[in-house]
């Protein structure tokens, strides 16, 4: 079956512009996660959605970052007024369950802020 | 809060040699433990995980990891590596309760298997 998909695969933007990244989770997966991987570093948790519960936004690095999810489907991560330090690969993952569940990762969106 | 330390950023080995990728974690609460792998030009995928029960867990391709609570470690081992094991390996933990399963990752270990 189809895995997690993300778009765009690559995005180059100018400092100060807004960007929107999209994630399509595996159908039926109630949990959805966003992570960021900056060059030479491990993955950092950003935000978590579980069904209709309030999202866990504890990993968002600043108020320029926000994310939405419609029900148990598509999610978008928005970065406003991008900065060069936002350059990273943004990964989305989905899971059938929360804690302990296997997370299935998408291919990522590589964001470069000039 | 939790943190994960992968002690080696790069591990070069020859084919058919044994390998150990080290992972230590710090947490004030009980955690689940994971190893994820990223093969060249592929997405991140689960290699193995420890949830409960036997502290030794195995993957389908010959890797194993042992949860050591007293040493807060979850080292990954394979007795004989193949060229195809060349990849980046990430150790991760996830709190058992109330945090939704978010993963806290180490910085990764790049395993390079040479003929």
């Amino acid at each position: 079956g189809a895995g997690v998909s993300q778009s765009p695969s690559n995005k180059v933007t100018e400092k100060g512009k807004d960007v929107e990244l999209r994630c399509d989770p595996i159908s039926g997966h109630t949990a959805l996660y966003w992570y960021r991987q900056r060059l030479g570093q491990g993955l950092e948790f950003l935000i978590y959605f579980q069904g209709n519960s309030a999202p866990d936004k504890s990993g968002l690095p600043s108020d320029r970052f926000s994310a939405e999810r419609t029900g148990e489907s598509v999610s978008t991560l928005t970065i406003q007024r991008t900065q060069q330090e936002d350059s990273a690969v943004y990964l989305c993952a989905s899971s059938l369950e929360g804690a302990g569940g296997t997370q299935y990762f998408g291919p990522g969106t590589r964001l470069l802020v000039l | 809060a939790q943190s994960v330390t992968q002690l080696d950023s790069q591990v070069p080995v020859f084919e058919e040699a044994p390998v150990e990728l080290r992972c230590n974690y710090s947490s004030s609460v009980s955690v689940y433990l994971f190893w994820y792998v990223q093969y060249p030009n592929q997405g991140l995928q689960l290699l193995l995980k420890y949830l409960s029960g036997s502290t030794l867990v195995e993957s389908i391709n010959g890797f194993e990891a042992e949860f050591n609570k007293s040493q807060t470690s979850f080292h990954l081992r394979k007795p004989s590596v193949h060229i195809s094991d060349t990849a980046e390996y990430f150790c991760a933990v996830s709190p058992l309760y109330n945090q939704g399963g978010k993963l806290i990752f180490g910085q990764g270990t790049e395993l390079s298997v040479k003929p």
Side-chain angles (χ1 to χ4, degrees):
Chain A
V4 177
S5 61
Q6 293 185 244
S7 61
S9 54
N10 290 281
K11 176 71 177 179
V12 180
T13 191
E14 293 179 348
K15 178 181 172 181
K17 302 280 190 182
D18 297 352
V19 296
E20 191 172 276
L21 313 180
R22 176 187 169 107
C23 172
D24 284 89
I26 294 172
S27 178
H29 281 194
T30 57
L32 186 147
Y33 306 81
W34 283 96
Y35 296 91
R36 174 173 73 173
Q37 185 176 23
R38 288 189 280 193
L39 190 64
Q41 300 185 26
L43 284 79
E44 305 169 67
F45 165 77
L46 297 177
I47 189 169
Y48 157 66
F49 296 91
Q50 173 68 57
N52 294 320
S53 302
D56 175 357
K57 304 180 182 179
S58 61
L60 294 178
S62 78
D63 58 8
R64 296 186 296 104
F65 287 72
S66 62
E68 294 183 347
R69 187 181 187 194
T70 307
E72 294 184 356
S73 61
V74 170
S75 176
T76 55
L77 177 69
T78 301
I79 309 173
Q80 296 179 310
R81 306 181 302 281
T82 53
Q83 304 294 313
Q84 289 184 330
E85 62 263 27
D86 299 334
S87 296
V89 177
Y90 290 83
L91 291 164
C92 174
S94 69
S95 175
L96 273 173
E97 53 191 321
T102 297
Q103 294 185 23
Y104 295 85
F105 284 80
T109 294
R110 188 175 299 275
L111 175 65
L112 178 61
V113 182
L114 300 177
Chain B
Q2 294 79 39
S3 66
V4 177
T5 302
Q6 291 183 243
L7 296 161
D8 306 294
S9 59
Q10 294 182 321
V11 174
V13 293
F14 288 106
E15 193 173 19
E16 297 183 6
V19 72
E20 178 180 80
L21 307 183
R22 295 178 292 170
C23 173
N24 287 88
Y25 70 94
S26 173
S27 178
S28 57
V29 300
S30 296
V31 294
Y32 297 123
L33 298 122
F34 304 79
W35 277 97
Y36 278 81
V37 59
Q38 187 168 29
Y39 297 104
N41 302 314
Q42 294 188 29
L44 204 63
Q45 57 188 279
L46 179 71
L47 184 62
L48 49 75
K49 62 182 177 181
Y50 170 78
L51 302 183
S52 65
S54 171
T55 56
L56 184 66
V57 290
E58 299 179 353
S59 72
I60 59 173
N61 60 349
F63 281 93
E64 64 180 29
E66 186 159 20
F67 169 49
N68 187 318
K69 188 173 183 179
S70 63
Q71 297 185 4
T72 60
S73 67
F74 192 53
H75 301 330
L76 182 70
R77 302 183 181 94
K78 189 170 185 180
S80 176
V81 293
H82 302 286
I83 298 285
S84 59
D85 293 324
T86 294
E88 187 145 24
Y89 292 79
F90 293 92
C91 182
V93 302
S94 176
L96 262 65
Y97 305 111
N98 299 326
Q99 297 192 43
K102 67 181 181 185
L103 294 169
I104 296 91
F105 284 89
Q107 294 195 336
T109 297
E110 190 178 329
L111 176 64
S112 176
V113 182
K114 304 179 186 304

